[in-house]
Amino acid sequence: MSDTGSRPAGPDDFIAELNAFYESCNRPPYRKLAEISEHLGELYGRRGLPVLSATAVFEVLAGRRKRAPTSAWVASFILCCQRRAWETGVRSSDPGIATLPHWQSRLRAAQGAPPERAAPAAEGSAPAPRTAPEARSPVPLRLTAPQRVTIADYKEHGRELLDRAQEGDADAVYRIAVLLGTDPTRGAEAVALLIDAAAGGHPQALDLLDASPNGLDPRQAAEHAHRLGESAPTRDAALAYYQAAVGGGRFETAFKITEILQEAGDGPRR
């Protein structure tokens, strides 16, 4: 059992959950987890996830870190534990990335709770500012050829998203995931991209993962697409998201498309 007696104040419940999961995988040796983490890209296509170190795994599980681990670290840890449990026969299958949305949701909840109660402020003094979680950009995204073709079909905005994603822009990765996720046949692809965006600290990616804990619901992706269309800065961008929203089942968004085309002189007149 891990030593929880000296665990500092912080997201203790989440660390306890990680320990319970580690126990359920038959406590795989830390060095084995580190070895598996070197091959996550080959096993699951998850490029950019950190390689685990035995020391870090011990310190996190023992509660010796002051902060909760990062989204990317948690993803590596869960994938490695699952893989080792399957390899040793502890589990009958390896669920792969399917379990990651649950863990990202649990981590987000832990990060949202203040680690300790703040002392009352002196009368007349301003409250201390709250520090937002540190956001990291994922590594440059490598999309499959079919994914690139799909996004490029969204014309100028699609090409812009591809360029930004290639540079490691978490927001672009999230937007690409939304566009793909409105297609019911591409939910798994979209979830993988949302996890990448979440690892970069993108809050809407986490929201969409939370809303679809059992696999991405295209209607949830369509809702996000509609909101992106509402705030889009250009006509091409708005059309891209509205078209995706219609594809995901939000059919009333078709009226938005008609209005844009009429304003541009490209659609039927009333």
Side-chain angles (χ1 to χ4, degrees):
M1 296 291 290
S2 61
D3 177 14
T4 59
S6 59
R7 183 176 299 154
D12 295 343
D13 290 341
F14 181 73
I15 298 301
E17 287 186 59
L18 286 182
N19 272 285
F21 178 76
Y22 178 70
E23 293 281 349
S24 74
C25 293
N26 201 31
R27 299 176 57 85
Y30 298 154
R31 62 181 179 80
K32 285 294 185 183
L33 298 181
E35 291 174 6
I36 294 171
S37 69
E38 295 177 357
H39 305 286
L40 293 179
E42 306 162 26
L43 294 171
Y44 306 107
R46 303 274 41 86
R47 301 177 179 88
L49 292 180
V51 173
L52 302 177
S53 74
T55 300
V57 173
F58 167 75
E59 290 180 347
V60 169
L61 294 182
R64 297 189 178 183
R65 298 286 179 97
K66 292 183 178 180
R67 297 181 179 179
T70 66
S71 297
W73 190 95
V74 171
S76 287
F77 176 75
I78 297 300
L79 289 175
C80 292
C81 284
Q82 291 175 166
R83 184 73 182 186
R84 182 60 179 174
W86 173 71
E87 290 176 345
T88 56
V90 175
R91 298 191 173 204
S92 60
S93 64
D94 177 7
I97 66 172
T99 59
L100 295 187
H102 163 77
W103 286 102
Q104 297 293 340
S105 175
R106 297 299 304 132
L107 175 60
R108 185 185 178 197
Q111 290 172 329
E116 57 186 18
R117 186 178 299 275
E123 184 175 357
S125 64
R130 295 183 66 179
T131 302
E134 181 181 358
R136 300 184 307 103
S137 291
V139 297
L141 185 67
R142 295 176 178 85
L143 295 170
T144 65
Q147 289 171 340
R148 295 185 66 85
V149 169
T150 298
I151 300 305
D153 281 344
Y154 288 107
K155 300 182 179 178
E156 183 178 348
H157 186 63
R159 293 189 292 271
E160 176 193 347
L161 290 179
L162 291 173
D163 290 342
R164 287 170 51 195
Q166 184 61 36
E167 295 174 356
D169 186 327
D171 182 60
V173 176
Y174 157 71
R175 290 168 181 266
I176 289 173
V178 169
L179 292 173
L180 293 176
T182 57
D183 182 342
T185 68
R186 308 186 81 163
E189 299 174 51
V191 167
L193 294 172
L194 287 171
I195 290 169
D196 286 341
H202 198 284
Q204 282 74 41
L206 287 168
D207 287 342
L208 188 48
L209 287 169
D210 289 350
S212 304
N214 299 316
L216 186 62
D217 184 339
R219 293 170 297 181
Q220 292 290 345
E223 180 63 31
H224 279 243
H226 179 82
R227 292 203 296 263
L228 289 172
E230 292 287 273
S231 61
T234 67
R235 170 177 169 270
D236 279 348
L239 280 173
Y241 296 116
Y242 287 148
Q243 288 167 358
V246 171
R250 183 155 181 169
F251 302 117
E252 69 275 18
T253 306
F255 293 106
K256 296 280 189 179
I257 298 174
T258 300
E259 290 175 358
I260 292 175
L261 294 178
Q262 285 179 340
E263 290 175 2
D266 298 334
R269 298 289 178 178
R270 293 178 181 176

